[in-house]
Amino acid sequence: MGRLTVNRPVVKITLDGEVPGERRRSDALAVEEPLEIRVGGHALTITMRTPGHDVELAAGFLVSEGVIARGEQFRSAIHCGGPGTGGPAAGTPENTYNVLDIALAPGVSLPEASLTRNFYTTSSCGLCGKASIDAVETVSTYDVATDAAILPAADLLAMPDRLRAEQAVFGKTGGLHAAALFDAASGELLVAREDVGRHNAVDKVIGWAVLADRLPLRGTVLQVSGRASFELAQKAVMAGIPILSAVSAPSSLAVELAEASGLTLAGFVRGTSMNLYARADRVLRR
């Protein structure tokens, strides 16, 4: 696993006194490096991520994009060297582990070459509106609308603080997003992951479930540390997660997707209040 943080010199300036203060010190920064994901030796996408849990990241990404839907479809993964990655193939002794090649189980179709990074689900592609929602509903293997999960509002309100307690690297750098998966019935924290990309953090959580062969993630809550975008709502639906909770605002398209798919979407989950944008019936008022 690569470095999670690096130290860099900074000049800190303060203006809280009559005479401005200045001092030099070391500051911890969250590492951001590219990860090229390959399937069967063919390049699929490159994402900027915080190194660590790369196999989970790739597995979750494949679920989010509809390539796989169950743990048994994911066979293995191996880090490999290549141009710009370090390692023997690049003529250097060090491998920076920024290329990951995935092997799918026999019989699982490889992604079409035409889909390379031009995925229908990714908000950065500029797709929006009904076409994107219809695409998610068509491809998703799981129907979250039929999930019987319920939980008390107090349990949901406690989840952001419980997630924050798991953010060790954020505590050092202040520069990472995070996502966690909770069991709705018991409130148990199942897994938490950090990353510079909010979508990567969610993919790592889903990928953990893939490797543990726990899909679909029925009866669970996905808690995220920031806003709820269409992309995060889409990832929840694709993994069979019935409840998505965010400490900040959802986007309009995330709400539309939640309404169309039967996903419970909670935003501004902070302190003693929250906003419920879709399927509010899953949250008990006590």
Side-chain angles (χ1 to χ4, degrees):
M1 183 174 71
R3 298 172 298 171
L4 299 180
T5 64
V6 295
N7 290 318
R8 291 289 185 268
V10 299
V11 177
K12 184 172 183 177
I13 296 176
T14 57
L15 301 177
D16 56 358
E18 293 184 3
V19 179
E22 176 181 316
R23 65 186 178 96
R24 298 179 182 273
R25 64 180 182 86
S26 179
D27 191 33
L29 304 177
V31 169
E32 182 178 27
E33 292 181 354
L35 176 68
E36 178 181 325
I37 299 174
R38 300 175 181 173
V39 178
H42 300 285
L44 182 64
T45 189
I46 297 176
T47 186
M48 301 302 295
R49 97 307 188 191
T50 300
H53 305 291
D54 286 345
V55 177
E56 293 178 352
L57 170 58
F61 178 82
L62 293 179
V63 171
S64 297
E65 301 299 343
V67 177
I68 62 175
R70 298 183 301 277
E72 65 190 33
Q73 296 175 314
F74 187 94
R75 184 175 184 180
S76 62
I78 185 171
H79 281 98
C80 51
T85 70
T92 62
E94 181 184 3
N95 190 332
T96 54
Y97 301 98
N98 285 340
V99 177
L100 187 70
D101 195 7
I102 306 299
L104 302 179
V108 179
S109 300
L110 296 176
E112 296 180 14
S114 62
L115 294 181
T116 302
R117 192 49 276 177
N118 294 318
F119 299 103
Y120 72 89
T121 53
T122 308
S123 58
S124 59
C125 290
L127 298 180
C128 61
K130 191 174 187 298
S132 296
I133 294 174
D134 287 346
V136 175
E137 291 183 313
T138 300
V139 175
S140 181
T141 302
Y142 309 117
D143 181 9
V144 299
T146 61
D147 196 300
I150 57 172
L151 78 167
D155 287 359
L156 193 59
L157 286 167
M159 289 178 183
D161 286 342
R162 295 177 64 188
L163 172 59
R164 178 64 183 85
E166 299 292 323
Q167 295 180 248
V169 182
F170 177 85
K172 297 177 181 178
T173 66
L176 290 183
H177 296 282
L181 193 69
F182 292 88
D183 180 81
S186 67
E188 177 188 0
L189 172 63
L190 302 175
V191 63
R193 294 289 184 259
E194 293 182 279
D195 200 277
V196 290
R198 61 172 59 87
H199 56 288
N200 289 338
V202 171
D203 277 340
K204 288 178 178 181
V205 165
I206 295 173
W208 167 86
V210 172
L211 301 182
D213 200 19
R214 297 184 66 144
L215 293 183
L217 286 167
R218 298 186 65 83
T220 61
V221 181
L222 177 62
Q223 176 67 55
V224 297
S225 61
R227 63 185 180 88
S229 64
F230 167 76
E231 187 175 17
L232 298 194
Q234 164 255 322
K235 290 178 184 295
V237 172
M238 294 295 286
I241 299 171
I243 303 171
L244 171 59
S245 170
V247 299
S248 192
S251 69
S252 62
L253 196 58
V255 174
E256 290 178 34
L257 175 57
E259 291 174 338
S261 62
L263 171 73
T264 294
L265 179 56
F268 296 104
V269 183
R270 308 171 185 173
T272 60
S273 66
M274 70 181 81
N275 292 347
L276 297 174
Y277 295 88
R279 285 299 303 270
D281 57 291
R282 289 196 178 105
V283 180
L284 305 178
R285 277 61 159 178
R286 59 177 176 84

